[in-house]
Amino acid sequence: MTERKAVALPNLVTPNTPVIFNPDKCVGCNHCVEVCQIDVFIPNPEKGNPPIILHPDECWYCGCCVNDCPHPGAVKFNWPLQQRGYWRDKETGEVFRLK
Amino acid sequence: MTTWHDFLLREGKVPDWPYPVNYDTGQEIEGDVLVVGGGIAGCWAAISAARCGARVILVEKGDTIRSGAGGPGCDHYCDIPTNPLSKVDPDEWAREMTGPYTNGIGTQIQCREGYDTLLEYEQMGAKIRDDKDEYLGVEGRDEKTKFLVSPRQNKDHCRNTVLRVWGSTFKPALKKECKRLGVRIFDRVMVTGLLNEHGIPGNRVVGAVGFNNRTGEFLVFKAKATILCTAGNHSLYVLNTELSGYNSFRSRTMTGDGFAMAWRAGAELTLMETTGPLVLGLGFRHTWYGGAGDASYENVQLVDANGKKLPIPTQGWRDGSMPDAFLRLLPTIREGVLKGEYALPFYGDFPAMPPEEQRATWYMMLREESTSRIIVDTYSAAGFDPAKHQLMSYQLLEGDSPKQWRVPGRGGVLVDWNLRTSLEGLYAAGEQMFAARDHSFCAATGRYAGRKAAAYAKEAAEPVISAEQVAKEKKRIYAPVKRSSGIEWKELHAGIGRAMQYFCSEYLTDSLLRLGLQTLEEIEEEYVPKLYALDPHKLMRSLEDLSLLTHAKIIIHASLARKASSKLLDFYRIDYPEVDPQEWNKYIVIKNENEKVVTRMLPQYFWGDMKKNYEAHNQDYQGVYRGK
């Protein structure tokens, strides 16, 4: 196992990953940074890379960052665990949950 | 790498602040009309004033492209009885919608001009019709106009006052039109205070000051007329600032800034004593369409775990009910659950609907409404199919909702038939007005206020701002960045929320309210001077806390002034238990005069004859925009 250096960090705000960027598809255009009304993101210091999630605790899950992304597949919504809902198949009764 | 701590672990340092920080620099911007808040009402006010020839400044805390409650979308355009399919008279419908403690002025404007705003949305490139024939066969679809009429308030197609729309296309269209008209937009700027002539509250409003929440830059706006288009306040009672899915209709940014600014400038406010339980998604409940609120089952029949229909009228064509039907029936259903009559959990029975209605509800209505597009998209991608699946409702699974989690209610700035406030030069529109309503209300009143403010600005004297008032506000704004320890915005927010939950919640008495006021004053004296902010973003959140604090005090003052209970206002005084006694069946108007709270009363329907007054004030109304 690769040894990982431990650093002294305060507890992280949670949940802290409202979206997951795909670095292969995201070109760092920062459109999501602009459409977010509360500044969840900041631009990455390295141009062309996905933005950094700085204020995830303020996210209201409006989805505009994903809805308006001009590069399909570059950013995926990631519902917090406690917000993942349920549905069932009317015929079989099998219950599913958003994974 | 997406998260902040990934960056830290990889780079061995925290990211630098990405924007240049200039707390001490600033600029002064001058115009005819200043619009504070770039949501639906604000954008419409700016567009309308610009079309009247005014030089317009629009200031928005987020980015105008998607900001505000209406930024992500809107599925229903309500109360537009001048649409060609309507079966009701606009003036009669406005009166019908105007009960006690409502806003007859705004409702009359909405009913007369709301449809015109919808047509103007279309001119701007937004989508309002099923022009690609995607929803052929859906009940309420009109082939000639290609409008989709909603079943809302529309039993057996009796009214046709509400249209289903593609509201996710609206906000970008508004921003584009603002730019086309030369409106000077200042995004990411929080306005913190209004400026009065000679710096004296109660005098004419001549502009505002604010700061950029990315760079910290100080901005002074000087204008002949100002339109307050800020929103309500949905976090006042919230203790936990890490509640994800914070509120499915309102974001963190809506913190009562407008109430606080109007109060400090000396404007009159009314209905400020109203609060109500927070029923929509709040962190520990699911977001809308995930479950909380369950107005999501508009048009969708709810069934119990065994498939038995619940006695809830959906807003379908056969009953045409309002979205609050579930809440009204909740006590009966709760009793049924406890007796074993209905089994938990409940489900929305999409497969029971005709296929075209399933599609229109899931893929069009829900996908266009507020924040729910992303819900529909992620659930669809995960396999949810409305033809086969029933969506779980979370109502009653957690027991009763805690009633101390409340939201401020119908309070807002008092306006006249010009949508002018009690202060010369200050106008208000949208949710900033008392007893405001929905998206089309905000659009219509914003557009109306824009032309009235522009007309005033044409005749008004040059504004003169007070350097002393500007300096005082600048000092107030930047105090938190001068400290790096003390109390941070999150703790202050929670402290204010706790004071309101304890002393201004479901049970009200004079002594509880006074204890609340005492707590808030103590917070102001002891803790506000210790407030610290480490960057411009946190400075914004800190200043928002100060808005919360002022708003909270106004609510308590107004609550102390109403010495009666009221079912209509969801306002219950244990020490004045009589409900809606005749002598208190009035609006309490409240203002801050020389740091003293002054109140007066206005009767129900104080706006007079709605049709007559609307027509008297709008003889020059031009209808739908015909300019280039």
Side-chain angles (χ1 to χ4, degrees):
Chain A
M1 193 180 141
T2 318
E3 199 179 313
R4 181 153 204 176
K5 193 183 164 196
V7 293
L9 269 181
N11 282 325
L12 301 173
V13 293
T14 51
N16 57 37
T17 315
V19 296
I20 296 168
F21 289 101
N22 180 345
D24 296 333
K25 293 191 175 168
C26 175
V27 300
C29 74
N30 293 322
H31 188 65
C32 52
V33 179
E34 297 314 314
V35 298
C36 176
Q37 67 173 259
I38 56 182
D39 264 349
V40 165
F41 312 104
I42 54 171
N44 197 306
E46 278 181 49
K47 278 192 179 159
N49 283 356
I52 295 166
I53 302 166
L54 186 66
H55 303 121
D57 48 329
E58 296 177 16
C59 179
W60 70 305
Y61 296 87
C62 76
C64 290
C65 51
V66 176
N67 298 341
D68 291 357
C69 176
H71 302 279
V75 58
K76 191 176 161 227
F77 215 66
N78 184 40
W79 288 101
L81 186 55
Q82 83 277 21
Q83 293 288 346
R84 290 173 178 255
Y86 298 79
W87 63 88
R88 72 173 176 187
D89 188 297
K90 190 171 178 177
E91 288 305 312
T92 66
E94 189 184 353
V95 175
F96 304 93
R97 189 179 189 214
L98 190 67
K99 284 185 185 137
Chain B
M1 173 174 57
T2 55
T3 59
W4 174 83
H5 60 270
D6 279 336
F7 182 93
L8 174 66
L9 293 172
R10 201 188 74 170
E11 301 289 324
K13 60 168 192 166
V14 299
D16 287 332
W17 189 251
Y19 313 104
V21 176
N22 297 300
Y23 289 129
D24 295 322
T25 63
Q27 51 174 316
E28 187 177 302
I29 301 103
E30 195 183 342
D32 297 322
V33 174
L34 166 67
V35 181
V36 180
I40 300 303
C43 285
W44 273 104
I47 288 167
S48 162
R51 285 173 175 177
C52 293
R55 295 172 302 144
V56 182
I57 304 161
L58 174 61
V59 191
E60 160 58 40
K61 201 153 66 162
D63 189 305
T64 314
I65 193 162
R66 284 290 183 198
S67 60
C74 162
D75 65 339
H76 281 93
Y77 220 69
C78 298
D79 301 310
I80 46 168
T82 65
N83 83 73
L85 304 172
S86 164
K87 294 179 183 170
V88 298
D89 175 79
D91 300 316
E92 276 173 28
W93 184 243
R95 270 198 304 279
E96 172 107 14
M97 298 302 293
T98 310
Y101 301 121
T102 57
N103 183 337
I105 299 169
T107 305
Q108 177 71 24
I109 293 167
Q110 178 183 23
C111 287
R112 276 291 190 106
E113 300 185 18
Y115 179 61
D116 295 350
T117 61
L118 190 64
L119 294 178
E120 290 182 7
Y121 262 132
E122 190 174 41
Q123 290 175 349
M124 294 174 206
K127 183 173 164 68
I128 66 168
R129 302 172 207 263
D130 182 29
D131 43 6
K132 289 183 187 152
D133 295 338
E134 288 172 278
Y135 295 100
L136 290 172
V138 169
E139 190 166 356
R141 186 184 182 281
D142 177 65
E143 180 50 35
K144 196 175 161 205
T145 59
K146 301 199 186 280
F147 279 141
L148 288 179
V149 177
S150 164
R152 189 177 280 186
Q153 300 164 317
N154 203 12
K155 185 175 161 61
D156 297 325
H157 305 256
C158 64
R159 293 190 181 114
N160 291 352
T161 55
V162 183
L163 298 182
R164 290 169 162 181
V165 291
W166 286 258
S168 66
T169 62
F170 287 3
K171 202 71 204 305
L174 288 174
K175 181 165 188 181
K176 198 173 150 200
E177 181 66 2
C178 284
K179 282 181 159 173
R180 192 185 72 83
L181 292 165
V183 171
R184 282 173 290 166
I185 301 173
F186 290 82
D187 282 328
R188 309 286 172 191
V189 172
M190 178 186 180
V191 171
T192 62
L194 298 170
L195 296 172
N196 302 91
E197 207 155 53
H198 306 300
I200 299 168
N203 281 2
R204 176 187 169 198
V205 169
V206 287
V209 300
F211 70 99
N212 184 301
N213 56 52
R214 286 180 169 177
T215 66
E217 183 193 13
F218 185 64
L219 295 116
V220 179
F221 301 101
K222 190 161 104 173
K224 289 177 182 168
T226 300
I227 312 174
L228 207 50
C229 296
T230 35
N233 180 353
H234 286 254
S235 64
L236 185 55
Y237 288 75
V238 178
L239 300 192
N240 189 335
T241 53
E242 290 186 22
L243 289 171
S244 63
Y246 166 68
N247 185 309
S248 37
F249 261 172
R250 299 292 189 279
S251 82
R252 161 72 54 204
T253 57
M254 289 154 207
T255 46
D257 305 335
F259 299 113
M261 277 187 264
W263 177 257
R264 293 205 311 278
E268 285 188 323
L269 301 148
T270 192
L271 294 178
M272 294 305 288
E273 66 275 29
T274 61
T275 67
L278 181 54
V279 291
L280 293 177
L282 173 73
F284 50 23
R285 309 195 75 186
H286 274 81
T287 44
W288 224 20
Y289 309 119
D294 283 285
S296 55
Y297 296 109
E298 178 163 356
N299 305 0
V300 186
Q301 176 68 52
L302 275 179
V303 295
D304 82 346
N306 300 320
K308 185 177 175 182
K309 282 186 181 179
L310 294 179
I312 302 166
T314 59
Q315 291 184 52
W317 298 103
R318 291 338 130 220
D319 45 54
S321 71
M322 286 291 287
D324 61 354
F326 188 93
L327 291 173
R328 278 190 281 112
L329 287 160
L330 203 54
T332 315
I333 296 165
R334 180 186 294 116
E335 213 172 294
V337 168
L338 296 177
K339 283 183 190 161
E341 210 177 316
Y342 304 113
L344 291 168
F346 302 151
Y347 289 93
D349 195 3
F350 282 88
M353 303 169 81
E356 61 277 11
E357 302 295 333
Q358 285 166 10
R359 235 166 28 86
T361 302
W362 182 250
Y363 293 108
M364 192 246 157
M365 187 188 99
L366 296 182
R367 213 165 165 265
E368 294 299 327
E369 169 63 335
S370 185
T371 58
S372 54
R373 170 174 290 239
I374 195 67
I375 301 176
V376 171
D377 287 355
T378 45
Y379 279 51
S380 296
F384 178 83
D385 178 354
K388 290 195 296 190
H389 297 136
Q390 298 172 313
L391 191 64
M392 192 185 284
S393 155
Y394 310 98
Q395 285 289 354
L396 295 178
L397 281 180
E398 298 170 302
D400 286 332
S401 285
K403 289 179 181 170
Q404 76 274 23
W405 295 86
R406 295 175 82 84
V407 277
R410 298 178 218 174
V413 179
L414 185 68
V415 288
D416 65 13
W417 276 101
N418 287 323
L419 297 189
R420 208 202 86 170
T421 70
S422 62
L423 301 181
E424 187 186 345
L426 183 65
Y427 295 74
E431 205 171 76
Q432 194 58 79
M433 284 193 283
F434 71 97
R437 295 163 51 87
D438 49 3
H439 188 117
S440 59
F441 178 96
C442 292
T445 56
R447 178 171 169 273
Y448 186 101
R451 68 174 191 261
K452 297 295 181 185
Y456 164 80
K458 266 185 196 157
E459 308 295 326
E462 280 302 310
V464 182
I465 58 176
S466 149
E468 199 185 330
Q469 193 178 26
V470 170
K472 197 174 156 195
E473 185 62 4
K474 189 174 183 183
K475 194 174 167 197
R476 189 181 81 93
I477 291 174
Y478 293 109
V481 295
K482 303 202 187 310
R483 293 180 283 268
S484 59
S485 64
I487 187 167
E488 220 247 353
W489 73 271
K490 288 191 171 194
E491 189 181 350
L492 184 64
H493 190 143
I496 296 164
R498 175 61 86 200
M500 293 303 278
Q501 285 197 7
Y502 277 170
F503 304 120
C504 190
S505 184
E506 197 183 354
Y507 308 125
L508 302 168
T509 67
D510 199 82
S511 54
L512 283 174
L513 289 166
R514 287 190 191 286
L515 212 46
L517 203 53
Q518 188 185 318
T519 305
L520 294 173
E521 281 166 358
E522 185 189 290
I523 288 173
E524 194 162 24
E525 285 159 25
E526 295 289 324
Y527 295 93
V528 170
K530 295 174 186 154
L531 184 59
Y532 72 94
L534 300 177
D535 59 54
H537 181 86
K538 294 178 186 65
L539 180 61
M540 167 175 65
R541 298 289 175 241
S542 303
L543 268 294
E544 286 174 346
D545 280 359
L546 304 187
S547 298
L548 295 176
L549 189 57
T550 303
H551 189 191
K553 282 166 66 184
I554 304 168
I555 291 173
I556 294 193
H557 283 304
S559 301
L560 281 164
R562 183 172 288 280
K563 297 186 189 308
S565 293
S566 173
K567 185 170 191 280
L568 295 164
L569 295 173
D570 192 10
F571 181 86
Y572 294 99
R573 290 278 302 247
I574 293 169
D575 45 358
Y576 296 98
E578 197 184 344
V579 175
D580 291 308
Q582 192 54 41
E583 67 273 25
W584 282 95
N585 198 5
K586 289 172 182 155
Y587 289 74
I588 292 172
V589 177
I590 186 166
K591 70 169 175 175
N592 164 33
E593 193 174 285
N594 302 324
E595 300 304 315
K596 282 204 175 110
V597 177
V598 177
T599 57
R600 69 181 175 108
M601 304 280 196
L602 277 173
Q604 296 289 355
Y605 313 108
F606 63 85
W607 43 77
D609 185 308
M610 289 157 60
K611 178 173 189 267
K612 215 188 269 179
N613 276 325
Y614 172 82
E615 286 174 353
H617 285 83
N618 293 286
Q619 287 173 359
D620 56 347
Y621 178 57
Q622 303 285 313
V624 178
Y625 180 61
R626 289 194 175 79
K628 284 183 183 170

